Amino acid sequence: MDRRQFFKKAAVTGAGALAAGSLAAPAVAQANPKITWRLTSSFPKSLDTIYGGADDISKHVAAATDGNFTIQPFAAGEIVPGLQAADAVTSGTVEMCHTCSYYFVGKDPTFAIGTAIPFGMNARLTNSWFYQGNGNTLMNEFYAKHNIYGLPAGNTGAQMGGWFRKEINTVDDFKGVKMRIAGIAGKVLEKLGAVPQQIAGGDIYPALEKGTIDAAEWVGPYDDHKLGFFKVAKYYYYPAFWEGGPTIHAFMNRDKWNSLPKQYQAALTDACAFANTNMMAKYDQKNPTAIKQIVSQGTTLRPFSQDILEACYNAALEVYKEISATNADFKKVYEDQVAFKKEGYLWMQLSEYTFDTFMMIQQRNGKL
């Protein structure tokens, strides 16, 4: 081949490559469309750890899609009140929210299982049930009835039992106590004579300060200290038997979720999984310092007595039996979780419990 023929062929090849390149751009654009979603949170920005789950999701989705899929988070109240987040997703007012499923038990008690129910599971078993058990599948079968697709997107670990103006030494001490408490736990304490109140996180302090309520539970030391509950209630009880490992969910409008390109669905799924892990890590890092601050500021720490825990456990079983008798969705998901929990704690009492108990003894003896 002479020099002239070589350059002639090269020119043709180059033109073909250029043409192919010009055709590829629209295909890439179609595969990676520009999509913008709005996310309404059930939490105020001041609670950086729990609200931060929404920020984690937004940042990771943007990074994974080169900024083509953006999710803009809004704090509770900026679009809709925190306790109306799921309604906004169902109706399509927003594409997505970051919330606790159990805020919506008024619609159906099955929503509670998506977050936590009294005497449920710890954070590790909860995650295992969602990711490796039937949790995600069963809850999404239920959420679909409300035009929602849900993914775990945060966990606080075992929470504290709440702030009380007076001591709770016996089961009878719950009688007449007006307590801010979410989910099915309110029904359990109602059986002990308490008067449950559902109040959004940002509204708890003024209600406690004014005496509108006598007690309140929120999350744990870090968030509770930021909200200043130690200023208006003296007694801080533990544990929150109603929230051993509560999941915070990302709820997506189901139609909007189904319309996403598969790679965007994958990016959002991975972002929610990161938020789920990262939130737990943050709380484990921040709570030890916060509980010391709370105690140093005059708070009295008290455990719920064994009698109280036993009474609440028995009341919880009654509540589950009553709900299951009339709600097939609840019964199906609850029984699956109980079976998973039974096997999980059989193993954990050999591994986690034994190891953790030994290490805690070393910590108490000053040997760590």
Side-chain angles (χ1 to χ4, degrees):
M1 182 185 295
D2 61 26
R3 183 171 177 273
R4 184 175 298 174
Q5 289 177 317
F6 173 80
F7 280 110
K8 185 176 180 181
K9 288 182 176 290
V12 171
T13 304
L18 180 61
S22 66
L23 290 172
V28 171
Q30 289 174 5
N32 299 285
K34 291 282 188 182
I35 295 177
T36 300
W37 277 14
R38 295 191 303 168
L39 179 158
T40 184
S41 173
S42 285
F43 315 108
K45 289 182 180 177
S46 59
L47 297 178
D48 58 305
T49 305
I50 197 164
Y51 175 84
D55 279 335
D56 281 341
I57 293 168
S58 174
K59 291 174 183 176
H60 278 252
V61 165
T65 63
D66 292 325
N68 288 310
F69 182 19
T70 59
I71 298 172
Q72 184 178 4
F74 293 86
E78 290 183 340
I79 298 178
V80 296
L83 298 183
Q84 294 176 22
D87 294 328
V89 171
T90 296
S91 66
T93 301
V94 295
E95 292 82 7
M96 184 176 176
C97 73
H98 190 234
T99 189
C100 290
S101 183
Y102 67 10
Y103 289 162
F104 312 104
V105 292
K107 298 176 181 295
D108 190 306
T110 312
F111 272 103
I113 307 177
T115 300
I117 56 175
F119 303 100
M121 300 185 291
N122 65 18
R124 274 189 54 178
L125 286 179
T126 297
N127 281 335
S128 183
W129 179 65
F130 271 115
Y131 290 131
Q132 298 299 323
N134 298 320
N136 261 336
T137 299
L138 292 176
M139 287 308 304
N140 274 310
E141 287 177 1
F142 167 73
Y143 292 145
K145 298 179 179 182
H146 300 268
N147 197 29
I148 286 172
Y149 178 74
L151 289 171
N155 201 301
T156 69
Q159 296 188 0
M160 292 292 283
W163 298 85
F164 291 78
R165 290 179 174 277
K166 67 173 188 177
E167 293 183 69
I168 303 294
N169 295 316
T170 69
V171 174
D172 286 341
D173 289 336
F174 275 106
K175 290 181 178 178
V177 172
K178 291 176 291 184
M179 183 175 180
R180 185 275 175 193
I181 189 165
I184 286 179
K187 290 186 176 295
V188 173
L189 290 185
E190 204 169 27
K191 285 186 174 289
L192 273 59
V195 183
Q197 312 283 315
Q198 181 137 302
I199 302 172
D203 299 325
I204 297 173
Y205 183 93
L208 200 55
E209 182 182 35
K210 294 173 184 176
T212 307
I213 56 176
D214 307 306
E217 59 82 29
W218 177 239
V219 175
Y222 180 71
D223 283 355
D224 291 4
H225 187 260
K226 286 181 75 75
L227 291 173
F229 297 147
F230 63 93
K231 299 175 185 177
V232 289
K234 179 179 179 180
Y235 300 100
Y236 198 23
Y237 278 84
Y238 63 91
F241 55 82
W242 50 88
E243 292 182 88
T247 297
I248 292 86
H249 262 82
F251 282 162
M252 283 70 76
N253 178 280
R254 196 170 185 86
D255 297 330
K256 292 292 186 179
W257 166 262
N258 288 334
S259 70
L260 283 177
K262 294 298 182 184
Q263 66 269 29
Y264 287 7
Q265 288 184 348
L268 182 49
T269 299
D270 289 347
C272 289
F274 173 80
N276 191 40
T277 302
N278 199 37
M279 186 183 294
M280 184 74 259
K282 288 179 182 178
Y283 277 117
D284 281 345
Q285 186 264 331
K286 294 176 183 292
N287 279 333
T289 299
I291 193 64
K292 292 178 183 177
Q293 291 175 322
I294 286 171
V295 171
S296 72
Q297 290 167 320
T299 298
T300 300
L301 283 177
R302 291 285 172 82
F304 286 127
S305 70
Q306 187 67 21
D307 286 345
I308 288 174
L309 292 175
E310 291 285 354
C312 289
Y313 183 75
N314 292 332
L317 295 182
E318 289 180 22
V319 169
Y320 301 145
K321 184 177 180 179
E322 291 166 2
I323 297 173
S324 295
T326 59
N327 189 313
D329 287 331
F330 181 92
K331 185 175 188 293
K332 179 180 180 180
V333 183
Y334 172 69
E335 289 181 350
D336 184 87
Q337 191 183 84
V338 168
F340 191 93
K341 175 173 58 178
K342 189 178 296 185
E343 293 299 309
Y345 278 119
L346 175 65
W347 161 241
M348 280 201 165
Q349 65 185 296
L350 299 178
S351 58
E352 301 295 324
Y353 177 79
T354 307
F355 176 75
D356 286 348
T357 299
F358 176 81
M359 294 305 296
M360 289 170 190
I361 291 171
Q362 307 317 304
Q363 191 273 340
R364 290 174 186 172
N365 291 338
K367 295 175 68 175
L368 282 185

